[in-house]
Amino acid sequence: MKSSILLLVLALMSIGAKAAPEYPISIVTSVCSEATIRANFPEAMATAAFPLTLDDDGWMSGGSRELSRGFVESDLKDLERLLKAIKSQGTSYVYFALAPPRTLEKGKVIHGEYTNHETLRNAYLSLLSRLSDVGFLTSDLSKDMNTASPAFYFKRDTHWRPEGAKIAAKNISNALSKNNILNEIPLHSVESYINGHNIQSSDFFNQVMQDICGYRLPTEYAPDFESTPDIDVDIFGDSLTPDIVLIGTSYSENENYHFADFLRNYLQRDMVNHSISGGGEYGAWFNFFSSKSEDSTPPKIIIWELPSYSHPARYKYLRQVIPLVNEGCQVSESIVAISETVSKNGKKEFIFDPALFGFKASELVMDIQTDDPQATSLSFRVWFDSGFYYDFTIDVIDPNVADGRFVFELANKEWDYRGNVLAIDLLSATYSSTSSPLSLNGNICLNAFRG
């Protein structure tokens, strides 16, 4: 009997051994040829990821947006106006935390307009210098980035690892500790530690390779940090006096990178984090100014984090953010009241009022509340007494928090040479209703921060 059982077991083992599947294994050392053809990338993706490259250590990169370029004098003037507006409300300092270009780390492959690391680094430092000339506090966040272990940035994603965020936070703290900037802000002890669990990268470049090539490298992981004590606060609470505020992107909002708590740790001060993911350069600013109450105390220090490839001086958005600093027309005397309805594509003469004839477009702010919280854009034509006109569209900065309100400057001072305002047409509107007209009510007032 025992012999029969033994023979049966051996037979089953023999069958199992013969049935064991075999899988061929190949190590990915390069991206597929399809990833080197621009036509294979959607236009928006091409700017961010073409040409896609892979180093022998698994580092992926791509795109032509290592560092924002193309600043002109009017850009910097508008950025300076924003800074002056913020300081006029009581904030003493705005620190511009411009994350370093990703490929500055450990001699990685250069993309886009920069041919070598020295050129890229010099361009980064030059941009910091220009921001400093405008009046922002800055410091070189690429300093010590190569000391991050295992790395400052994820190998296959655009975001920094928590180790990189920690180095950046220490750098910022050192910069703010100079000249007694922090002395009047109460101490608040914070410690950060690893809790033993891992978080995973969002894998931007890896996902691009998956979409185009059909394969990908393993997802990268990083330590999960926690801070103690838990100092989260109600940012809308009546008793809150935020001495330090963080305005930023997913680099600051995503808790996986722990950047906000690293800042609290090194500053040893409390801080309110208004950062949001997916809001671009000004989504967090828009939410910050839109949510502040009339009796709120302005922070003494604002830290503004942006990735290096962001363009922080786009007038398309600055024209909306600057007047929000002063709450649009809600606390200003009205020059002209607005009460109209419009269909989606119904061009109409919106405003023709002698009260506007003596003003340049840069002197005026429009503050419009629509009856549709899902209205996302309004297109206008401004006529000048010279006979010239120009068209522009106001898009909601962050559709996720749209409330139907549009606050914006009619123009910046670059348009003043065209003459005074004669009339304003509403060319079109984008909103949720397919049949009902859109109702618009509001005011035109003086631009308090024209410059």
Side-chain angles (χ1 to χ4, degrees):
M1 181 68 178
K2 290 181 179 179
S3 298
S4 300
I5 293 174
L6 179 60
L7 289 173
L8 178 61
V9 170
L10 290 174
L12 291 173
M13 291 177 62
S14 176
I15 294 172
K18 290 180 181 179
E22 295 183 1
Y23 299 99
I25 297 176
S26 59
I27 299 174
V28 176
T29 58
S30 63
V31 297
C32 61
S33 59
E34 288 80 2
T36 64
I37 302 172
R38 185 182 178 89
N40 290 330
F41 291 74
E43 187 57 36
M45 190 66 69
T47 302
F50 174 82
L52 195 64
T53 65
L54 175 64
D55 288 359
D56 55 8
D57 66 348
W59 176 278
M60 297 183 71
S61 198
S64 57
R65 56 177 198 171
E66 273 294 326
L67 183 65
S68 181
R69 298 189 69 173
F71 284 88
V72 296
E73 192 61 28
S74 61
D75 289 333
L76 294 173
K77 286 181 179 179
D78 290 330
L79 202 55
E80 185 175 17
R81 288 196 298 120
L82 172 64
L83 182 60
K84 288 181 177 179
I86 294 168
K87 288 187 173 182
S88 75
Q89 304 300 295
T91 294
S92 300
Y93 305 96
V94 180
Y95 176 94
F96 206 126
L98 189 67
R102 182 171 174 267
T103 53
L104 282 182
E105 181 174 355
K106 300 176 182 176
K108 297 303 179 183
V109 176
I110 290 293
H111 289 274
E113 300 171 291
Y114 301 95
T115 57
N116 58 67
H117 293 88
E118 182 179 1
T119 302
L120 177 58
R121 177 171 167 74
N122 288 340
Y124 172 65
L125 296 177
S126 175
L127 181 51
L128 292 178
S129 178
R130 298 182 79 180
L131 293 170
S132 178
D133 290 343
V134 166
F136 293 98
L137 297 178
T138 64
S139 61
D140 176 11
L141 297 190
S142 69
K143 181 182 178 183
D144 299 326
M145 72 182 297
N146 286 335
T147 67
S149 179
F152 193 95
Y153 283 102
F154 283 104
K155 287 185 175 183
R156 294 176 282 279
D157 189 44
T158 58
H159 294 96
W160 51 25
R161 292 174 58 92
E163 297 90 347
K166 185 176 183 179
I167 288 177
K170 183 177 181 180
N171 186 313
I172 294 168
S173 175
N174 290 340
L176 291 176
S177 296
K178 298 177 181 178
N179 302 318
N180 302 320
I181 291 175
L182 297 172
N183 284 8
E184 296 181 1
I185 299 178
L187 290 169
H188 192 123
S189 180
V190 181
E191 299 297 331
S192 296
Y193 60 93
I194 297 176
N195 71 1
H197 296 89
N198 286 339
I199 57 96
Q200 67 180 41
S201 159
S202 58
D203 260 9
F204 171 73
F205 292 114
N206 215 7
Q207 185 58 52
V208 173
M209 186 167 73
Q210 173 72 52
D211 293 343
I212 295 179
C213 298
Y215 55 80
R216 59 186 290 142
L217 290 170
T219 297
E220 190 177 5
Y221 288 81
D224 185 15
F225 286 82
E226 288 190 2
S227 287
T228 184
D230 182 357
I231 56 174
D232 285 343
V233 293
D234 177 10
I235 64 174
F236 302 108
D238 294 335
S239 63
L240 178 64
T241 303
D243 288 321
I244 304 176
V245 160
L246 175 61
I247 301 287
T249 66
S250 56
Y251 281 52
S252 298
E253 187 273 339
N254 192 319
E255 294 183 0
N256 286 346
Y257 315 134
H258 208 69
F259 178 60
D261 278 328
F262 283 140
L263 273 174
R264 294 184 178 106
N265 183 188
Y266 283 113
L267 293 170
Q268 288 296 290
R269 266 77 173 181
D270 199 355
M271 182 182 68
V272 178
N273 188 2
H274 283 274
S275 303
I276 63 171
S277 296
E281 291 91 341
Y282 286 101
W285 280 111
F286 181 80
N287 289 346
F288 173 60
F289 291 129
S290 297
S291 63
K292 70 176 184 178
S293 60
E294 293 182 6
D295 58 350
S296 61
T297 304
K300 293 182 174 69
I301 300 172
I302 294 177
I303 299 171
W304 183 12
E305 168 272 309
L306 275 183
S308 63
Y309 54 78
S310 300
H311 193 312
R314 297 184 193 277
Y315 184 62
K316 177 180 177 66
Y317 300 117
L318 280 174
R319 73 186 310 166
Q320 298 181 65
V321 174
I322 292 173
L324 275 175
V325 179
N326 197 40
E327 300 183 44
C329 292
Q330 291 186 355
V331 296
S332 301
E333 183 178 352
S334 174
I335 298 173
V336 174
I338 300 168
S339 182
E340 291 284 353
T341 58
V342 65
S343 60
K344 288 181 181 291
N345 296 307
K347 175 186 174 184
K348 67 184 302 181
E349 184 179 275
F350 193 49
I351 298 171
F352 181 80
D353 194 308
L356 298 181
F357 292 174
F359 294 100
K360 305 290 186 184
S362 67
E363 296 179 282
L364 301 174
V365 166
M366 293 183 71
D367 191 338
I368 299 173
Q369 181 65 55
T370 71
D371 63 348
D372 183 356
Q374 297 183 53
T376 55
S377 72
L378 300 174
S379 294
F380 295 93
R381 173 171 293 168
V382 177
W383 290 94
F384 298 89
D385 57 12
S386 63
F388 181 82
Y389 69 85
Y390 92 102
D391 299 342
F392 65 94
T393 298
I394 297 296
D395 295 309
V396 170
I397 292 178
D398 184 1
N400 294 321
V401 293
D403 61 359
R405 187 185 178 201
F406 295 82
V407 180
F408 54 93
E409 300 176 342
L410 280 187
N412 61 14
K413 292 181 73 173
E414 296 294 309
W415 291 91
D416 283 357
Y417 74 99
R418 293 294 185 177
N420 292 346
V421 175
L422 182 63
I424 303 170
D425 294 342
L426 181 58
L427 303 180
S428 64
T430 302
Y431 56 104
S432 60
S433 176
T434 58
S435 57
S436 302
L438 182 69
S439 175
L440 305 96
N441 293 279
N443 296 282
I444 296 180
C445 61
L446 285 178
N447 186 354
F449 305 115
R450 178 189 179 213

